[in-house]
Amino acid sequence: MTTLASAPEQTAGAPAPSAAPRRRRRGRKAGRTHAAGPVTYLLLTVTTLVSIFPLYWTVVAGSHTNAEIAATPPPFLPDADLFTNIGRAMEEAPIGLAIVNSVIVAGCITVGTVLCCTLAGFAFAKLRFRGNGVLLSLVIGTMMVPTQLAIIPLFILIAELKWVDQLQAVVLPTLVSAFGVFFMRQFLSQALPDELLEAGRVDGASTMRIFWSIVVPVARPAMAVLAMLTFLTAWNDFFWPIIALTTNNPTVQVALAGLGGGYVPDRAVIMAGTLIGTLPVLVVFVVLGKQIVGGIMQGAVKG
């Protein structure tokens, strides 16, 4: 009787023999769900080709003549006239000076926007002061105002300051963006624990020391994304630079606007100049692409 009574207890206390294989099977099934199939690779290939095609067509169109581009069917392979058209583009517009100006303008706007927006985002996210919500609402509300409404008073202001055809006329009005402030505020609200700030205050650190030593390392992934978006926006901006600058001191987009003039626009020269203006951006992505993606991935991984 004692043996029969103790048998169920031993059976109940022993681990189920099939539990480990069942867990291994579940692990293998979970691993299979993350494997990319042929459909995924096909979609990625199609997306890549569609994304690269505009750049490839720029090279093709920039290496032919107007008549060849207008032919039916159009050419789909580059020709030997690319460097000839690039030389004509460099003669028609000061593209070299324009690239230098664009690097200065886009670089200054990017550094200023990232720094100022990170400071403002930290203040709105973690500092408590009177009127916090009202000021944030006003900042967000400026995003609803069309840019065209501010052009006339802004041009009058830079004319009074005698900044027409000078780079500061393009840099200073766009040194801070409402989108950047809101973006950094949302990121820091979630990614920056209040305990880190309290630990810094207990150690006697000032607000600026906390910002440089604690906030900036935490916000680095979002700062990388904001810098990338700001640089592209500043490099491609055309509306305000064409008003504030002239062809004597242009950015890339203003210089490209003066290419291929005449009764029939020379699209080959325009495309060749566009290719020159695109190369610096491609170089930035080739050199800094890994760091930008790494910063984004750091922000996506917790712990």
Side-chain angles (χ1 to χ4, degrees):
M1 295 295 292
T2 304
T3 306
L4 294 175
S6 61
E9 295 178 359
Q10 294 175 358
T11 305
S18 60
R22 191 180 300 115
R23 284 195 296 269
R24 285 195 295 268
R25 287 196 296 268
R26 283 200 299 266
R28 286 195 295 267
K29 290 180 180 178
R32 283 197 298 268
T33 57
H34 295 286
V39 177
T40 302
Y41 284 109
L42 178 61
L43 291 176
L44 289 175
T45 302
V46 172
T47 303
T48 302
L49 292 176
V50 171
S51 302
I52 293 177
F53 181 76
L55 180 62
Y56 176 74
W57 175 248
T58 302
V59 175
V60 173
S63 61
H64 289 81
T65 63
N66 253 2
E68 292 172 344
I69 297 174
T72 304
F76 287 100
L77 294 176
D79 200 5
D81 292 335
L82 177 61
F83 294 102
T84 302
N85 291 334
I86 289 176
R88 292 173 57 194
M90 298 287 287
E91 292 176 358
E92 291 187 15
I95 295 181
L97 174 63
I99 290 177
V100 174
N101 288 344
S102 288
V103 169
I104 295 173
V105 169
C108 292
I109 291 175
T110 300
V111 173
T113 298
V114 171
L115 179 60
C116 295
C117 291
T118 305
L119 276 167
F122 166 60
F124 283 123
K126 296 298 179 179
L127 300 183
R128 299 292 175 259
F129 56 91
R130 186 175 300 175
N132 187 323
V134 176
L135 290 176
L136 181 61
S137 299
L138 290 175
V139 171
I140 297 175
T142 59
M143 299 172 61
M144 305 177 188
V145 179
T147 306
Q148 292 79 2
L149 291 181
I151 290 299
I152 295 177
L154 185 58
F155 184 80
I156 294 174
L157 176 62
I158 68 166
E160 291 292 333
L161 296 173
K162 302 185 185 305
W163 285 357
V164 178
D165 202 22
Q166 298 184 27
L167 297 183
Q168 61 264 32
V170 181
V171 173
L172 293 180
T174 54
L175 207 54
V176 181
S177 68
F179 167 77
V181 173
F182 179 73
F183 176 75
M184 295 305 302
R185 187 261 180 192
Q186 294 300 104
F187 180 85
L188 291 174
S189 296
Q190 301 295 326
L192 183 61
D194 293 333
E195 290 78 8
L196 287 178
L197 303 180
E198 293 299 330
R201 294 191 179 97
V202 169
D203 290 339
S206 63
T207 301
M208 289 304 299
R209 179 62 185 272
I210 291 174
F211 174 77
W212 289 112
S213 301
I214 298 177
V215 178
V216 170
V218 173
R220 194 171 297 161
M223 293 169 70
V225 176
L226 182 60
M228 177 183 63
L229 297 176
T230 304
F231 185 86
L232 286 177
T233 302
W235 186 274
N236 294 324
D237 190 18
F238 175 74
F239 183 59
W240 175 239
I242 195 65
I243 296 175
L245 303 177
T246 66
T247 55
N248 296 324
N249 191 32
T251 58
V252 167
Q253 309 306 325
V254 177
L256 294 180
L259 288 178
Y263 185 75
V264 178
D266 195 337
R267 290 179 290 174
V269 174
I270 295 174
M271 288 297 184
T274 303
L275 182 62
I276 301 173
T278 307
L279 287 179
V281 180
L282 296 178
V283 170
V284 169
F285 274 99
V286 169
V287 174
L288 302 178
K290 185 177 296 185
Q291 286 79 1
I292 293 173
V293 174
I296 296 173
M297 295 305 296
Q298 287 178 8
V301 177
K302 298 292 183 180

